[in-house]
Every structure is written in C-alpha cells, then in structure tokens.
Amino acid sequence: MVTQILGIGTAVPPARLAQARTRDFFAAQPGVNRLSARLISAAFDQSAIETRYSVIGGLDSQAGAAVASDVFTEDGERLLTPSTGDRNLVYRSAAPPLSAAAARDALQRAAVAAADVTHVITASCTGFFAPGPDYLLVRELGIPTSAERTHIGFMGCAAAFPALRAAARIGAAQPGSVVLVVCTELCSLHIRSSNDPEQIVASAVFGDGSAAAVVASDPMPARTAGPVLEVGEFSTALTSEGEEDMDWTIGDHGFEMRLTANVPRIIGREITSVVAPMLERDGVGLSDIDAWAVHPGGRSVLDRVESGLDLPERAMRESRDVLREYGNMSSATILFILQRILDDASLPEGAAVAGLCFGPGLTVETARFTRVDAGAARSAPEESAAARAAGVPVGAAASAPATNSLSHGVA
C-alpha cells in the first residue's frame, strides 16, 4: 500500500517581527535587570533568527496588523500579563482562519477538492477549545460532515510526525483515504516578560504559523502530475534523560515552556543511536540521504545534529532557512521544511528524505520519505501580490506570504 503526501501548504499571521527590534522591546520592559538584559541580547542575537510572525500586535512588528495588541501590550511599549483564559480566547479567534488558510493552500497544491477529504487530523499545543479546529475546518472548507476527525494535543514540537503517522496508518487500513493534516501553533500567545533564562530563550525563538499536508493512499484521487513524498516508516525514541529539560505546562498566565541548555547537548550525544536504527531498517546509510528535514528547536539543536551525525553543511540548509525566516513554530515547523524539500526541483528522482523532530520528554520522532515525480514536473503555484496582501482576516489578522500565496518567504 503506497501512501503519499500530495501537497503541503503553509500560512503565517501578518505581523512580522524583526528579531533585533523585538530584542530591544523585551530588554526595555520594566523589571528586567541588567543581567537579564544581557541574557536577552545574547539569546536573541545568537538565535540565527531574523524574523518571526505573530498574531499579537504591539511587539514592535515591522508590518501588518494583528489581533490582540490591547490584550498583550499597553501603548505598544509595556508587555502585559493576561490570564491563560484571555490568551486562549485569542487562540480561539486566530487559530481557525490560519488553519483554514494553510489547509486551502495544501489542497490547492495537491489538486484535491475539499469534498474528497475523508479524514481530518489536527495538532496543536498552544490552545484548546471545543468544538475545535478540526470541526471548524470541516465547516469552513466544505469537507463532508462524515469525515472522521482526530485531534493531537500537547505533544509539542514533534506532533507533526505522529499526525502524519496516524494519516499513514489510516491510509493503509482504509485504501483510498484522503487525510488532511493541519498543525497550527500560536506560540507568541504565551510570551511574558521575565528574568528567568528559560523564559528568555522561549521569547527569543518561538513564532506563530500553520502548515497542512494532504495525505492519500491507493487508489489515489485524480490530480495533476507533480512531485510527491512517499511516506515511509516512522519511529519514536526517548532519550536517556531530558524529562525536566523540555516540558510544557499550563500556568495562570499562559502555558509555560521550559527549554534548558541541556537539550542540544542531549540531542547531540544521543542522535546517532536514534538515527542508526531508522537507516538500518531501510537498508541505507547516512550518505544515501539526499535531504534532511530537522526540526529547528534552536540554532544549537541544528548544530548538534549536524556535528553528531557528521553531516555536510548543506544538509541543514532548509531547516536553517526556515528557522531564520520564521523561528520555531512548534509542530508546524517541520512541514514548512518538508514543503521546501517537496518543491526542490534540484533533488534527484527518488530522493531519500530523513526527518527528525524533538518534543517534550525528551522525545525524538523520526520519519522517512521518498521524493518522486508522479509524472511530468509541475510548476509551483504563482504567488500573486493580491494573495500576499489579502490574507485571511480574523478581525485584523490575516495569513502572510510563504512559498506560494500563503506560505514561506519573507517580504
């Protein structure tokens, strides 16, 4: 049974945050002591991030309006501390249209009609409500109301691979299935001014975004020819330590992310023992992998994976590019990277793709894909200026540009 990713779509909010200006915003907050100001400068400057996107206005964004500037900032200068309930209300209003924008993009790229979708899988760890985004996608996009829905919650940055794995299992069990997978994270809703080094790191790396994938199994829906990703095997591993180094809890003033300096060291030390079984199972070596999709939890994580596996510098290109342009968007990030690999016409036919994601625990999720051309090469959808400017309104929120009218690339 062949299962394929037929198309990947992405969307980001309109407010674009320049890293240097956002650094100065956080450093200028009342209560930030001199040591913390130095830590803020170091965390932001060493992040290898240039821009991020947010649904929050007032964080000294370069362009675009957002939805909740009055909830999070006072006069665009002082960062407020809204309750978890108030933050979640913003998630409730902003996440659905962003999810729908990414889903529409994915369906367009896959040349699949919403009416053909049989299953919907959503993943998020930055907000909750019911009926949730999975339900609203069915209503908004015109997906049949008989479509089966699954939500994967609170699995952190690694959730996209469990979501794709579930889609692949559905395809194998129910031939002819068309599964829409949507990962939407509004990480910026949980930022706060703090002298805590771990919160400072979180404020320096996380951004907002949504990504979607259309996953189908034989018999495939009728579609135009073009590159697809054949879905291979998945695996899950727990590192020997790290349970207290990456976690995500619910506090009174937002969700609290802990990401300590030990995380890159743990990943670097144990990555070989995690990747080796994946490659042995497929009968390939490191040199046989044509493209790597590695979740950019931060610059140091990518550095440790690259050095731990002794990979060439080009192996981290897509991951570093996405980190630089968008920051860490939690579960949505790896799909932004896979979209670039899917659209990369320079890759050879049958290119072997390896994926790595890291989540709370410390959990390492791996996946294997093969990039194949289903027929004559298809050109990427044209990016129109109107589409880039229009976005998807939620009050003042809209989706921002990316590879096509809704996906990656910074204006």
Side-chain angles (χ1 to χ4, degrees):
M1 174 64 64
V2 176
T3 304
Q4 298 177 340
I5 298 177
L6 305 183
I8 299 173
T10 57
V12 293
R16 192 177 87 178
L17 309 180
Q19 189 74 337
R21 296 173 66 179
T22 310
R23 173 201 63 207
D24 295 343
F25 174 84
F26 275 93
Q29 293 305 301
V32 171
N33 58 44
R34 293 178 63 183
L35 174 59
S36 295
R38 289 197 296 270
L39 290 175
I40 289 169
S41 293
F44 278 74
D45 292 346
Q46 298 173 18
S47 66
I49 296 169
E50 293 179 2
T51 52
R52 290 176 285 165
Y53 292 84
S54 174
V55 296
I56 300 172
L59 298 184
D60 208 11
S61 56
Q62 286 183 305
V67 295
S69 58
D70 57 337
V71 175
F72 285 86
T73 65
E74 183 176 72
D75 300 326
E77 295 182 0
R78 187 170 71 87
L79 191 61
L80 303 177
T81 56
S83 69
T84 300
D86 287 338
R87 295 174 195 260
N88 200 62
L89 284 174
V90 179
Y91 179 90
R92 172 64 181 83
S93 65
L98 200 63
S99 299
R104 288 191 182 96
D105 189 28
L107 289 166
Q108 178 187 2
R109 288 169 170 265
V112 170
D116 294 329
V117 174
T118 60
H119 299 74
V120 176
I121 299 175
T122 53
S124 185
C125 66
T126 49
F128 295 101
F129 63 92
D134 54 318
Y135 172 92
L136 295 178
L137 283 168
V138 170
R139 293 297 195 192
E140 176 71 19
L141 301 182
I143 294 170
T145 56
S146 59
E148 299 176 12
R149 310 191 317 272
T150 302
H151 180 69
I152 297 175
F154 235 59
M155 288 193 74
C157 298
F161 279 0
L164 290 176
R165 182 177 61 217
R169 300 289 189 267
I170 290 170
Q174 299 177 305
S177 298
V178 177
V179 187
L180 176 64
V181 175
V182 183
C183 300
T184 300
E185 304 289 9
L186 305 185
C187 306
S188 71
L189 293 182
H190 303 290
I191 62 168
R192 59 180 60 80
S193 178
S194 175
N195 290 310
D196 181 352
E198 292 164 11
Q199 292 301 320
I200 289 172
V201 170
S203 68
V205 301
F206 285 104
D208 300 348
S210 180
V214 178
V215 182
S217 64
D218 290 329
M220 297 291 175
R223 59 188 294 274
T224 58
V228 299
L229 291 175
E230 291 186 353
V231 181
E233 294 297 320
F234 296 85
S235 68
T236 301
L238 295 180
T239 57
S240 60
E241 57 179 313
E243 183 176 352
E244 297 181 353
D245 292 293
M246 184 191 294
D247 61 20
W248 194 231
T249 58
I250 299 176
D252 292 335
H253 297 287
F255 298 171
E256 298 173 1
M257 175 65 180
R258 179 164 53 179
L259 189 65
T260 75
N262 288 327
V263 170
R265 289 196 287 269
I266 295 169
I267 290 173
R269 186 178 65 244
E270 303 197 21
I271 195 63
T272 301
S273 63
V274 171
V275 171
M278 173 184 72
L279 300 179
E280 290 171 4
R281 182 182 60 236
D282 293 339
V284 299
L286 285 170
S287 61
D288 297 314
I289 301 300
D290 298 292
W292 288 86
V294 180
H295 173 70
R299 177 190 57 79
S300 296
V301 169
L302 296 180
D303 291 345
R304 294 283 184 152
V305 171
E306 183 178 310
S307 61
L309 296 177
D310 194 23
L311 296 176
E313 185 177 341
R314 67 177 182 276
M316 296 291 109
R317 182 184 61 193
E318 287 80 9
S319 296
R320 293 189 191 278
D321 286 351
V322 168
L323 177 66
R324 183 179 65 255
E325 298 171 19
Y326 299 99
N328 180 350
M329 299 170 287
S330 192
S331 68
T333 318
I334 198 70
L335 291 177
F336 275 69
I337 297 166
L338 285 173
Q339 185 195 58
R340 295 192 173 199
I341 291 172
L342 180 59
D343 290 346
D344 187 355
S346 70
L347 289 171
E349 173 64 14
V353 181
L356 298 170
C357 284
F358 312 103
L362 181 62
T363 304
V364 183
E365 298 282 355
T366 76
R368 279 274 287 111
F369 308 95
T370 304
R371 185 186 184 278
V372 298
D373 197 335
R378 128 185 100 156
S379 59
E382 218 175 281
E383 183 178 28
S384 70
R388 289 168 62 94
V392 177
V394 181
S399 94
T403 5
N404 64 4
S405 60
L406 295 170
S407 35
H408 56 245
V410 178

